[in-house]
Amino acid sequence: MRFFVLLASISLVFEVSAFQNLFSSFSPAKKPATLGKASVLENELLQAIEDLGSSRLANNDRITELVASLESCPSIPTPAIAEEVYGRWKLIHTNNANTASPIQRKAVDSSKFAIYQDIVFNENNQLVVSQVVKFSDSAELKVDALASTSAYPLPELTERKGDGKILGLNILGVSKVGDEAAEDVSRPDSRISFVFDEGNFELGNFKVPYPVPFRLPILRDAVKGWIDITYMSNRMRISRGNKGTTFILIKEDS
């Protein structure tokens, strides 16, 4: 059971938000030019999230409404391969999906640590989505997932087969599979698929491996996932994951 707890905790980086010193540093969206209305909606969404106070994980009707409005607005096309997607993003809010694992939902409520998602390239020019939990300036957990898009395909990333249930129970979270997991053809190049590959606790000059064998063949299907980018501007990204969760992120260097 302890092993499954460790495995489930990896997903919390997709399920946690942090608000420290965030709202004073946002800059207005710059492009595309059609984002005038969207910029107003973004501001309203940021305010609605701030109004939640200490609640990091919540199902909120106003936020749901604003997310849907933004998803219907023009935004950066083909976002999964657009230049703007690369870099560091800060997770600020997620909804409380009942398909997420109980451990994930518990962890999401913590506001102690900032959570980042880096979409970058490794030394082999492979696309990597890194999940970073910052414990302090000198201590963090970094978990790397090999990623795949039409621009940077990864042959290993075949379709996920299992939903993740263990003996019919939701322990690690329940993933969409099959027809339910089909990409939205009306949003071309919006999906980033990934498979977790390795993780490390980085404590100053020391590095301690994360104790989950992501590369173990028996686990390889269970550590696959994807995010569909349903809205993206220069400062905000809205994504929906394979476990039914909606994520709202802000570009850290915008």
Side-chain angles (χ1 to χ4, degrees):
M1 183 64 182
R2 185 178 180 183
F3 170 80
F4 291 126
V5 170
L6 288 169
L7 179 58
S9 67
I10 281 298
S11 298
L12 69 86
V13 296
F14 282 101
E15 309 287 340
V16 184
S17 59
F19 290 84
Q20 300 168 348
N21 302 318
L22 191 59
F23 293 96
S24 62
S25 60
F26 294 141
S27 60
K30 299 176 182 177
K31 63 179 184 179
T34 54
L35 284 182
K37 176 184 176 182
S39 293
V40 174
L41 290 170
E42 285 183 13
N43 290 336
E44 292 181 7
L45 178 56
L46 293 173
Q47 185 62 55
I49 293 172
E50 186 176 26
D51 289 345
L52 291 176
S54 61
S55 179
R56 306 302 185 247
L57 168 68
N59 293 329
N60 179 278
D61 290 342
R62 179 57 176 160
I63 290 176
T64 299
E65 176 187 344
L66 288 166
V67 165
S69 294
L70 279 168
E71 289 177 329
S72 67
C73 285
S75 67
I76 294 172
T78 60
I81 60 173
E83 179 183 354
E84 291 85 352
V85 77
Y86 304 113
R88 169 160 285 194
W89 295 83
K90 190 171 188 176
L91 188 63
I92 62 171
H93 181 76
T94 182
N95 67 327
N96 189 359
N98 58 14
T99 46
S101 76
I103 297 170
Q104 292 168 0
R105 292 197 295 269
K106 180 67 176 178
V108 164
D109 259 343
S110 173
S111 61
K112 293 180 180 179
F113 310 122
I115 307 298
Y116 299 96
Q117 186 178 86
D118 297 339
I119 302 178
V120 294
F121 298 91
N122 64 16
E123 62 275 8
N124 297 319
N125 201 38
Q126 291 176 304
L127 184 63
V128 174
V129 178
S130 296
Q131 318 305 327
V132 182
V133 183
K134 294 287 290 186
F135 304 118
S136 69
D137 290 340
S138 59
E140 66 182 32
L141 168 63
K142 182 180 180 183
V143 180
D144 293 335
L146 299 178
S148 181
T149 64
S150 64
Y152 296 92
L154 183 66
E156 175 193 353
L157 262 173
T158 55
E159 182 180 345
R160 177 169 173 158
K161 302 300 182 183
D163 63 9
K165 289 182 179 178
I166 299 174
L167 300 177
L169 300 176
N170 176 11
I171 297 176
L172 303 178
V174 181
S175 176
K176 296 178 180 179
V177 293
D179 292 342
E180 191 180 15
E183 294 186 52
D184 184 350
V185 295
S186 70
R187 299 180 183 272
D189 284 317
S190 294
R191 176 168 293 187
I192 300 178
S193 300
F194 60 85
V195 58
F196 288 113
D197 195 59
E198 66 174 334
N200 291 285
F201 290 96
E202 299 182 4
L203 311 171
N205 295 325
F206 297 95
K207 184 178 290 188
V208 180
Y210 192 85
V212 177
F214 295 115
R215 297 173 184 173
L216 196 66
I218 197 173
L219 291 178
R220 209 57 175 162
D221 187 68
V223 296
K224 290 179 180 179
W226 43 261
I227 52 173
D228 285 335
I229 302 172
T230 55
Y231 173 84
M232 188 172 74
S233 70
N234 278 43
R235 69 168 172 173
M236 179 177 288
R237 172 162 58 91
I238 298 173
S239 300
R240 295 181 182 268
N242 58 297
K243 295 180 182 178
T245 307
T246 301
F247 314 106
I248 303 172
L249 306 96
I250 292 295
K251 192 69 175 288
E252 181 71 0
D253 56 1
S254 63

